Amino acid sequence: MFSRLFSGSKRRLSSLSEQEVLALAISSEEDDGRIYQAYGQILKERYPDSAKVFEDMAEVENTHKNMLIDMHRRRFGERIPLIRREHVNGFLTRRPDWLRQNLSLDAMRREAEAMETQAYNFYVEAAKNASDASTRQLLGELALAEQGHEDVARMLTDKHVPEGVRRKEDDTAYRQFLLTYVQPGLAGLMDGSVSTLAPIFAAAFATQDTWQTFLVGLSASVGAGISMGFTEAAHDDGKLSGRGSPLKRGLSCGIMTALGGLGHALPYLIPHFWTATITAGIIVFFELWAIAFIQNKYMETPFLRAAFQVVIGGSLVLAAGVLIGNA
């Protein structure tokens, strides 16, 4: 009685009958097939070759589901008990479609591999815990079937996505990553790191008050982050430019803008003015070099040119802030 009270609504694997295990396998195969169909639909326009792989994998899952249904019909009749992954302790659930819409191509590939591996591991563990010989045999057969799915996935990938096509798709996915995350984030980091230099250091030298300087830096950084985020999200919906989700770009740009300003605002939590100012100056140096590094790594800008542009621009803004603060 007490074990039922504290075990929650989920069943333990050992409590399932052979028919329920078979019903669970049927529902799992059906769910995985629908997931692969969803991936194929999402990828169809931009990655048609990989979409075909997932569509074929969905057909394989459907074939296995039909085989399991035939087995159930022969052994237990027409009525299949309603039992799904979420009804059983330890069984890995799958995310709903609306949480899959924004996955990258690589993420979908990794998740498909993980789905097959996780299902295989589940059936292997289930077979270890089964005391009935026929149930153990059934679970072992299901484990082998899931292991075979991995081979089928690799075979279908080789068939539909040869090396040249995969390289092209990977290049497209990388370009999308740059347009959606790196470019807006870099723009935000540059704006936050450089544009807030003048107000923060002007406030610092004008007031000699570290707390007031921190408040100025905090407000400038957060305000700039909100402004840049909304601007990035609102000015381009991504449909014509292909730059991706405006929400993702806005968040990337806004967060990096705020972080760029907060980097040299936070040192002014230190009560001693010159200690805080020297620390902030050191952080500014690393911020500017980080921007140059990102430009070189992702945007293929020559490092020395990127460093020269960023350091010169940042130095001018910093000098303007110090002069204004001392005026």
Side-chain angles (χ1 to χ4, degrees):
M1 177 179 176
F2 285 105
S3 63
R4 288 185 181 181
L5 180 64
F6 291 104
S7 63
S9 60
K10 290 189 176 184
R11 298 274 302 277
R12 287 177 295 128
L13 179 64
S14 59
S15 72
L16 300 182
S17 67
E18 192 170 337
Q19 182 184 14
E20 288 173 326
V21 171
L22 189 54
L24 178 59
I26 291 170
S27 66
S28 299
E29 296 286 350
E30 182 176 17
D31 286 348
D32 287 351
R34 293 169 69 181
I35 289 170
Y36 291 144
Q37 285 179 337
Y39 283 169
Q41 188 65 33
I42 293 169
L43 297 173
K44 196 167 189 177
E45 183 178 347
R46 183 165 291 172
Y47 307 107
D49 297 289
S50 286
K52 184 60 178 173
V53 171
F54 285 112
E55 290 169 359
D56 286 359
M57 289 177 68
E59 291 181 10
V60 172
E61 299 289 334
N62 189 55
T63 300
H64 289 154
K65 180 197 72 172
N66 291 335
M67 292 170 59
L68 289 165
I69 290 175
D70 289 340
M71 183 188 299
H72 184 280
R73 183 179 291 116
R74 290 194 303 269
R75 301 182 66 181
F76 303 109
E78 294 291 334
R79 194 190 74 81
I80 301 175
L82 177 59
I83 183 167
R84 308 180 74 87
R85 289 183 175 100
E86 59 266 26
H87 301 152
V88 181
N89 276 323
F91 207 102
L92 294 162
T93 58
R94 306 296 189 223
R95 291 182 291 181
D97 280 354
W98 61 84
L99 295 180
R100 300 174 182 276
Q101 292 293 328
N102 294 319
L103 290 179
S104 67
L105 175 59
D106 275 342
M108 290 183 186
R109 288 171 177 163
R110 288 194 299 270
E111 183 151 328
E113 293 174 2
M115 284 167 59
E116 303 299 343
T117 302
Q118 290 166 359
Y120 166 75
N121 291 337
F122 172 80
Y123 286 129
V124 168
E125 290 303 313
K128 291 178 182 177
N129 296 326
S131 58
D132 181 79
S134 59
T135 302
R136 185 186 295 270
Q137 181 181 358
L138 173 63
L139 292 171
E141 291 171 355
L142 292 172
L144 291 175
E146 290 298 333
Q147 192 175 40
H149 288 187
E150 295 183 50
D151 297 330
V152 171
R154 283 191 288 268
M155 179 188 69
L156 292 174
T157 299
D158 292 340
K159 173 184 175 183
H160 295 297
V161 191
E163 185 64 29
V165 174
R166 178 153 187 167
R167 190 181 303 112
K168 182 179 178 181
E169 289 188 343
D170 289 342
D171 289 343
T172 301
Y174 181 71
R175 179 176 178 274
Q176 190 65 57
F177 168 72
L178 293 179
L179 292 174
T180 304
Y181 295 103
V182 177
Q183 191 180 64
L186 179 61
L189 183 61
M190 292 177 68
D191 184 84
S193 298
V194 175
S195 69
T196 57
L197 288 174
I200 290 175
F201 283 93
F205 283 92
T207 65
Q208 302 280 307
D209 186 325
T210 57
W211 177 246
Q212 295 300 320
T213 301
F214 169 72
L215 292 179
V216 170
L218 178 64
S219 60
S221 301
V222 173
I226 294 172
S227 175
M228 287 288 288
F230 271 106
T231 300
E232 177 62 41
H235 88 279
D236 178 14
D237 62 7
K239 293 180 180 178
L240 295 179
S241 65
R243 297 180 65 225
S245 166
L247 177 61
K248 290 181 179 179
R249 297 195 332 267
L251 286 173
S252 178
C253 184
I255 291 171
M256 294 307 294
T257 301
L259 290 177
L262 287 173
H264 44 269
L266 290 175
Y268 283 98
L269 289 171
I270 301 171
H272 188 269
F273 172 76
W274 282 109
T275 301
T277 300
I278 292 171
T279 303
I282 293 172
I283 291 176
V284 169
F285 174 81
F286 283 105
E287 286 174 348
L288 298 180
W289 281 98
I291 293 170
F293 172 79
I294 294 171
Q295 284 184 312
N296 173 254
K297 179 175 177 62
Y298 292 103
M299 311 309 292
E300 298 184 359
T301 304
F303 184 79
L304 291 178
R305 190 176 80 184
F308 179 79
Q309 293 172 342
V310 172
V311 172
I312 292 298
S315 299
L316 291 174
V317 176
L318 175 61
V322 173
L323 290 174
I324 292 171
N326 284 317

